[in-house]
Amino acid sequence: MNAKQIKEVKALLNKPKNIVIVTHWSPDGDAMGSSLGLYNYLIQLKHKVSVITPNDYPSFLFWLPGNKKVIDFSKKPKPAKTLVAKADIIFCLDFNSLKRIDKLGDEVEKSEGIKFMIDHHLQPEGFAKYMLHSVKACSTCELIFELIQLMGHKKLMNKAIGNCLYTGIMTDTGSFRFPSTTAKTHKIIASLIEAGAENADIHNRIYDGNTENKIKLLGFSLSEKLKVFKEYKTAYFSLTQAELDHYKYQKGDTEGVVNYALSIEGIRFAAFFVERDGIIKASFRSQGSFDVNVFARKHFSGGGHANAAGGMSELSMDKTLQKFEELLPTYKSALNKK
Ligand code: 5GP
Ligand code: MN
């Protein structure tokens, strides 16, 4: 945003408006943290604010302040459609293409509300009038913090916003360990703790609420489903619907599993394929120069970041895994680079 746009947005937010916040399909900690962080900021300015998700999200995020107000479009399409149609402003958080919000994208596109994208994914599409976009930002939550500062409202930071933004920064940086974590990230985190963010409790709420089934599913994945290809520095897992059903899968139960594959010494490329509702969802992670955003875009109709991306496949699980394994030799030299 340039100075003129900042002035325009300030003027826009100066009077109470109907505001809708939307975030990506299968929201994660950053998606919900940024949406509810922005919500807890905007309600202080007396706007009428609604947060709409395309579908459901893991229960370890339900404690976030404002969560009770969230509308799931897949469960309540009618009120969600009305809110989007009547919105003066629609904030699009943590996604770069309307495809990422599925059918909700048609409603957002149709609405005359002013679109404002706040995001950190590569190659954003140009559907928004305003954009606060940086691929250098560790998370969308970091950009929400910047927006509040740009609006001159640092004084409005409070515990609710602090808890939300801390959550998104923590989850998107792998608890402050990915290279996206900078001195700036830690400075923001310090400000959030000063504003009341309950840092130690947040780690507990997000990471220590595992069910017995979730841990057993992880154990099964690690011991039975991991495949390692040393010559391609690659490791991957896959889980079928029947395997998920056996462990009474709940939303969020496989979050982070892909990182175990990446944690093996010498592995630079990790993948996770999971069958849900008839399609295969893929997660890709890398360390170093291998660009999984490019890989996901090219072969699995997806995208994301250079070291963390996702995609999907409409082939059967067996065919998807065969396709993946057959791709590896073509990337042999790229995978063996530092
Ligand atoms: P995850 O593997 O945790 O689902 O996603 C990793 C990263 O890739 C996230 O930043 C997420 O927003 C992005 N991502 C996941 N799935 C897709 C997809 O199907 N399309 C695109 N464009 N990005 C995705
Ligand atoms: Mn994010």
Side-chain angles (χ1 to χ4, degrees):
M1 277 205 298
N2 58 33
K4 182 172 164 269
Q5 288 174 320
I6 293 170
K7 220 172 144 190
E8 282 172 19
V9 174
K10 269 187 186 167
L12 203 60
L13 294 179
N14 211 8
K15 282 200 188 127
K17 296 272 183 325
N18 288 319
I19 296 181
V20 164
I21 299 170
V22 294
T23 191
H24 63 75
W25 181 259
S26 282
D28 57 8
D30 189 31
M32 293 317 298
S34 58
S35 297
L36 289 169
L38 182 61
Y39 167 88
N40 283 296
Y41 161 60
L42 292 173
I43 55 171
Q44 295 183 66
L45 302 176
K46 309 288 178 237
H47 298 294
K48 192 173 165 290
V49 192
S50 309
V51 177
I52 302 174
T53 61
N55 63 336
D56 59 348
Y57 48 94
S59 57
F60 59 72
L61 296 169
F62 290 175
W63 63 272
L64 286 168
N67 180 67
K68 282 206 180 94
K69 296 275 173 68
V70 177
I71 299 168
D72 176 345
F73 179 74
S74 69
K75 293 198 185 107
K76 289 184 177 166
K78 264 199 175 164
K81 277 184 190 178
T82 309
L83 287 164
V84 172
K86 284 190 180 158
D88 301 308
I89 310 172
I90 303 175
F91 282 95
C92 298
L93 302 193
D94 204 33
F95 66 90
N96 55 3
S97 155
L98 289 178
K99 274 189 240 125
R100 290 282 289 139
I101 56 171
D102 199 51
K103 292 194 184 89
L104 182 54
D106 300 336
E107 307 304 319
V108 171
E109 200 165 23
K110 268 193 291 185
S111 171
E112 283 174 17
I114 295 170
K115 279 130 218 163
F116 191 152
M117 178 204 285
I118 305 181
D119 180 49
H120 66 134
H121 291 91
L122 291 155
Q123 295 152 286
E125 290 178 3
F127 63 85
K129 175 167 183 188
Y130 297 109
M131 282 170 78
L132 185 57
H133 186 277
S134 167
V135 294
K136 287 198 192 126
C138 72
S139 57
T140 298
C141 281
E142 183 172 310
L143 295 171
I144 297 295
F145 182 87
E146 271 179 27
L147 176 76
I148 297 171
Q149 277 190 320
L150 286 173
M151 294 296 110
H153 285 145
K154 227 182 148 184
K155 283 213 178 95
L156 295 185
M157 284 299 303
N158 58 20
K159 181 165 151 181
I161 302 173
N163 276 341
C164 291
L165 301 187
Y166 188 100
T167 298
I169 294 175
M170 179 188 82
T171 53
D172 254 30
T173 58
S175 298
F176 318 109
R177 56 169 288 200
F178 298 150
S180 57
T181 312
T182 60
K184 185 175 170 190
T185 313
H186 283 290
K187 282 177 190 155
I188 293 174
I189 284 293
S191 297
L192 298 179
I193 294 174
E194 277 164 6
E198 300 155 305
N199 51 313
D201 282 349
I202 294 173
H203 287 259
N204 286 336
R205 287 173 205 155
I206 299 293
Y207 297 120
D208 297 338
N210 294 323
T211 60
E212 188 179 334
N213 274 317
K214 178 178 172 179
I215 295 299
K216 285 186 171 160
L217 176 62
L218 171 64
F220 168 73
S221 310
L222 294 174
S223 69
E224 308 296 325
K225 301 302 305 273
L226 177 70
K227 286 188 87 173
V228 180
F229 297 82
K230 277 199 177 138
E231 62 173 319
Y232 305 122
K233 298 191 185 297
T234 298
Y236 81 83
F237 299 100
S238 63
L239 287 171
T240 63
Q241 184 78 58
E243 288 163 343
L244 295 183
D245 293 346
H246 180 79
Y247 290 96
K248 299 190 174 53
Y249 170 84
Q250 288 174 23
K251 193 101 194 172
D253 279 359
T254 57
E255 209 127 312
V257 169
V258 65
N259 293 315
Y260 285 94
L262 196 63
S263 75
I264 300 166
E265 193 185 6
I267 296 301
R268 309 194 72 78
F269 179 32
F272 173 61
F273 298 92
V274 61
E275 179 187 10
R276 238 177 288 135
D277 308 322
I279 66 153
I280 312 289
K281 181 83 188 84
S283 281
F284 302 107
R285 298 290 185 273
S286 66
Q287 261 177 37
S289 62
F290 188 69
D291 189 330
V292 289
N293 169 55
V294 172
F295 183 87
R297 275 177 190 265
K298 194 156 178 207
H299 305 293
F300 291 94
S301 320
H305 311 283
N307 293 125
M312 51 85 70
S313 161
E314 282 171 3
L315 303 170
S316 67
M317 179 61 94
D318 286 348
K319 289 255 158 60
T320 302
L321 302 183
Q322 191 185 340
K323 172 179 166 176
F324 179 72
E325 290 189 18
E326 284 173 3
L327 281 168
L328 294 178
T330 60
Y331 287 97
K332 189 170 180 179
S333 65
L335 289 164
N336 279 284
K337 257 192 224 148
K338 271 272 160 189

PDB file of all heavy atoms in Angstrom, residues 159-176:
ATOM      1  N   LYS A 159      -5.354  -7.815  24.585  1.00  0.00           N
ATOM      2  CA  LYS A 159      -5.086  -9.241  24.814  1.00  0.00           C
ATOM      3  C   LYS A 159      -5.727 -10.121  23.731  1.00  0.00           C
ATOM      4  O   LYS A 159      -5.114 -11.082  23.249  1.00  0.00           O
ATOM      5  CB  LYS A 159      -5.632  -9.610  26.190  1.00  0.00           C
ATOM      6  CG  LYS A 159      -5.406 -11.032  26.590  1.00  0.00           C
ATOM      7  CD  LYS A 159      -5.654 -11.135  28.072  1.00  0.00           C
ATOM      8  CE  LYS A 159      -6.147 -12.488  28.470  1.00  0.00           C
ATOM      9  NZ  LYS A 159      -6.407 -12.561  29.912  1.00  0.00           N
ATOM     10  N   ALA A 160      -6.973  -9.786  23.347  1.00  0.00           N
ATOM     11  CA  ALA A 160      -7.669 -10.603  22.340  1.00  0.00           C
ATOM     12  C   ALA A 160      -6.896 -10.593  21.014  1.00  0.00           C
ATOM     13  O   ALA A 160      -6.627 -11.653  20.431  1.00  0.00           O
ATOM     14  CB  ALA A 160      -9.091 -10.075  22.135  1.00  0.00           C
ATOM     15  N   ILE A 161      -6.526  -9.407  20.561  1.00  0.00           N
ATOM     16  CA  ILE A 161      -5.767  -9.322  19.294  1.00  0.00           C
ATOM     17  C   ILE A 161      -4.416 -10.023  19.477  1.00  0.00           C
ATOM     18  O   ILE A 161      -3.969 -10.785  18.616  1.00  0.00           O
ATOM     19  CB  ILE A 161      -5.528  -7.844  18.871  1.00  0.00           C
ATOM     20  CG1 ILE A 161      -6.855  -7.099  18.708  1.00  0.00           C
ATOM     21  CG2 ILE A 161      -4.721  -7.776  17.576  1.00  0.00           C
ATOM     22  CD1 ILE A 161      -6.700  -5.587  18.467  1.00  0.00           C
ATOM     23  N   GLY A 162      -3.772  -9.770  20.612  1.00  0.00           N
ATOM     24  CA  GLY A 162      -2.464 -10.367  20.895  1.00  0.00           C
ATOM     25  C   GLY A 162      -2.513 -11.888  20.828  1.00  0.00           C
ATOM     26  O   GLY A 162      -1.657 -12.515  20.191  1.00  0.00           O
ATOM     27  N   ASN A 163      -3.531 -12.483  21.454  1.00  0.00           N
ATOM     28  CA  ASN A 163      -3.650 -13.946  21.442  1.00  0.00           C
ATOM     29  C   ASN A 163      -3.862 -14.486  20.029  1.00  0.00           C
ATOM     30  O   ASN A 163      -3.298 -15.513  19.653  1.00  0.00           O
ATOM     31  CB  ASN A 163      -4.808 -14.387  22.350  1.00  0.00           C
ATOM     32  CG  ASN A 163      -4.384 -14.485  23.807  1.00  0.00           C
ATOM     33  OD1 ASN A 163      -3.200 -14.575  24.123  1.00  0.00           O
ATOM     34  ND2 ASN A 163      -5.350 -14.459  24.710  1.00  0.00           N
ATOM     35  N   CYS A 164      -4.685 -13.777  19.263  1.00  0.00           N
ATOM     36  CA  CYS A 164      -4.966 -14.232  17.885  1.00  0.00           C
ATOM     37  C   CYS A 164      -3.706 -14.157  17.025  1.00  0.00           C
ATOM     38  O   CYS A 164      -3.350 -15.122  16.341  1.00  0.00           O
ATOM     39  CB  CYS A 164      -6.051 -13.363  17.249  1.00  0.00           C
ATOM     40  SG  CYS A 164      -7.672 -13.594  17.986  1.00  0.00           S
ATOM     41  N   LEU A 165      -3.035 -13.000  17.056  1.00  0.00           N
ATOM     42  CA  LEU A 165      -1.877 -12.821  16.169  1.00  0.00           C
ATOM     43  C   LEU A 165      -0.706 -13.703  16.604  1.00  0.00           C
ATOM     44  O   LEU A 165       0.032 -14.241  15.768  1.00  0.00           O
ATOM     45  CB  LEU A 165      -1.466 -11.338  16.106  1.00  0.00           C
ATOM     46  CG  LEU A 165      -2.542 -10.361  15.600  1.00  0.00           C
ATOM     47  CD1 LEU A 165      -1.954  -8.956  15.431  1.00  0.00           C
ATOM     48  CD2 LEU A 165      -3.166 -10.822  14.282  1.00  0.00           C
ATOM     49  N   TYR A 166      -0.538 -13.871  17.912  1.00  0.00           N
ATOM     50  CA  TYR A 166       0.531 -14.757  18.402  1.00  0.00           C
ATOM     51  C   TYR A 166       0.327 -16.168  17.836  1.00  0.00           C
ATOM     52  O   TYR A 166       1.272 -16.822  17.374  1.00  0.00           O
ATOM     53  CB  TYR A 166       0.538 -14.792  19.941  1.00  0.00           C
ATOM     54  CG  TYR A 166       1.726 -15.532  20.517  1.00  0.00           C
ATOM     55  CD1 TYR A 166       2.835 -14.843  21.007  1.00  0.00           C
ATOM     56  CD2 TYR A 166       1.762 -16.938  20.553  1.00  0.00           C
ATOM     57  CE1 TYR A 166       3.939 -15.512  21.519  1.00  0.00           C
ATOM     58  CE2 TYR A 166       2.857 -17.617  21.054  1.00  0.00           C
ATOM     59  CZ  TYR A 166       3.939 -16.904  21.543  1.00  0.00           C
ATOM     60  OH  TYR A 166       5.027 -17.569  22.041  1.00  0.00           O
ATOM     61  N   THR A 167      -0.924 -16.626  17.864  1.00  0.00           N
ATOM     62  CA  THR A 167      -1.242 -17.981  17.395  1.00  0.00           C
ATOM     63  C   THR A 167      -0.835 -18.174  15.937  1.00  0.00           C
ATOM     64  O   THR A 167      -0.187 -19.167  15.582  1.00  0.00           O
ATOM     65  CB  THR A 167      -2.756 -18.244  17.557  1.00  0.00           C
ATOM     66  OG1 THR A 167      -3.063 -18.165  18.943  1.00  0.00           O
ATOM     67  CG2 THR A 167      -3.157 -19.609  17.016  1.00  0.00           C
ATOM     68  N   GLY A 168      -1.203 -17.220  15.087  1.00  0.00           N
ATOM     69  CA  GLY A 168      -0.891 -17.358  13.655  1.00  0.00           C
ATOM     70  C   GLY A 168       0.595 -17.288  13.367  1.00  0.00           C
ATOM     71  O   GLY A 168       1.112 -18.019  12.515  1.00  0.00           O
ATOM     72  N   ILE A 169       1.280 -16.397  14.089  1.00  0.00           N
ATOM     73  CA  ILE A 169       2.734 -16.279  13.863  1.00  0.00           C
ATOM     74  C   ILE A 169       3.413 -17.563  14.338  1.00  0.00           C
ATOM     75  O   ILE A 169       4.259 -18.139  13.646  1.00  0.00           O
ATOM     76  CB  ILE A 169       3.306 -15.025  14.582  1.00  0.00           C
ATOM     77  CG1 ILE A 169       2.729 -13.758  13.947  1.00  0.00           C
ATOM     78  CG2 ILE A 169       4.845 -15.021  14.513  1.00  0.00           C
ATOM     79  CD1 ILE A 169       3.124 -12.456  14.633  1.00  0.00           C
ATOM     80  N   MET A 170       2.996 -18.051  15.498  1.00  0.00           N
ATOM     81  CA  MET A 170       3.586 -19.283  16.042  1.00  0.00           C
ATOM     82  C   MET A 170       3.369 -20.471  15.086  1.00  0.00           C
ATOM     83  O   MET A 170       4.312 -21.212  14.777  1.00  0.00           O
ATOM     84  CB  MET A 170       2.963 -19.579  17.411  1.00  0.00           C
ATOM     85  CG  MET A 170       3.471 -20.843  18.058  1.00  0.00           C
ATOM     86  SD  MET A 170       2.528 -21.243  19.550  1.00  0.00           S
ATOM     87  CE  MET A 170       1.104 -22.056  18.860  1.00  0.00           C
ATOM     88  N   THR A 171       2.137 -20.645  14.604  1.00  0.00           N
ATOM     89  CA  THR A 171       1.866 -21.836  13.779  1.00  0.00           C
ATOM     90  C   THR A 171       2.519 -21.717  12.398  1.00  0.00           C
ATOM     91  O   THR A 171       3.069 -22.693  11.890  1.00  0.00           O
ATOM     92  CB  THR A 171       0.349 -22.114  13.641  1.00  0.00           C
ATOM     93  OG1 THR A 171      -0.311 -20.932  13.167  1.00  0.00           O
ATOM     94  CG2 THR A 171      -0.264 -22.518  14.956  1.00  0.00           C
ATOM     95  N   ASP A 172       2.497 -20.528  11.777  1.00  0.00           N
ATOM     96  CA  ASP A 172       3.066 -20.399  10.429  1.00  0.00           C
ATOM     97  C   ASP A 172       4.597 -20.411  10.415  1.00  0.00           C
ATOM     98  O   ASP A 172       5.201 -20.629   9.367  1.00  0.00           O
ATOM     99  CB  ASP A 172       2.551 -19.123   9.730  1.00  0.00           C
ATOM    100  CG  ASP A 172       1.516 -19.462   8.655  1.00  0.00           C
ATOM    101  OD1 ASP A 172       0.814 -20.470   8.817  1.00  0.00           O
ATOM    102  OD2 ASP A 172       1.415 -18.723   7.650  1.00  0.00           O
ATOM    103  N   THR A 173       5.225 -20.158  11.562  1.00  0.00           N
ATOM    104  CA  THR A 173       6.691 -20.205  11.595  1.00  0.00           C
ATOM    105  C   THR A 173       7.200 -21.517  12.189  1.00  0.00           C
ATOM    106  O   THR A 173       8.400 -21.642  12.463  1.00  0.00           O
ATOM    107  CB  THR A 173       7.280 -19.052  12.449  1.00  0.00           C
ATOM    108  OG1 THR A 173       6.740 -19.163  13.777  1.00  0.00           O
ATOM    109  CG2 THR A 173       6.971 -17.681  11.873  1.00  0.00           C
ATOM    110  N   GLY A 174       6.293 -22.493  12.412  1.00  0.00           N
ATOM    111  CA  GLY A 174       6.709 -23.746  13.049  1.00  0.00           C
ATOM    112  C   GLY A 174       7.305 -23.454  14.415  1.00  0.00           C
ATOM    113  O   GLY A 174       8.384 -23.967  14.738  1.00  0.00           O
ATOM    114  N   SER A 175       6.599 -22.626  15.196  1.00  0.00           N
ATOM    115  CA  SER A 175       7.069 -22.183  16.518  1.00  0.00           C
ATOM    116  C   SER A 175       8.417 -21.463  16.423  1.00  0.00           C
ATOM    117  O   SER A 175       9.368 -21.787  17.132  1.00  0.00           O
ATOM    118  CB  SER A 175       7.141 -23.337  17.522  1.00  0.00           C
ATOM    119  OG  SER A 175       5.857 -23.862  17.720  1.00  0.00           O
ATOM    120  N   PHE A 176       8.468 -20.500  15.510  1.00  0.00           N
ATOM    121  CA  PHE A 176       9.613 -19.563  15.372  1.00  0.00           C
ATOM    122  C   PHE A 176      10.900 -20.238  14.890  1.00  0.00           C
ATOM    123  O   PHE A 176      11.986 -19.809  15.233  1.00  0.00           O
ATOM    124  CB  PHE A 176       9.869 -18.817  16.697  1.00  0.00           C
ATOM    125  CG  PHE A 176       8.599 -18.370  17.369  1.00  0.00           C
ATOM    126  CD1 PHE A 176       8.154 -18.973  18.543  1.00  0.00           C
ATOM    127  CD2 PHE A 176       7.824 -17.381  16.793  1.00  0.00           C
ATOM    128  CE1 PHE A 176       6.955 -18.579  19.126  1.00  0.00           C
ATOM    129  CE2 PHE A 176       6.619 -16.986  17.376  1.00  0.00           C
ATOM    130  CZ  PHE A 176       6.184 -17.591  18.542  1.00  0.00           C
TER     131      PHE A 176
END
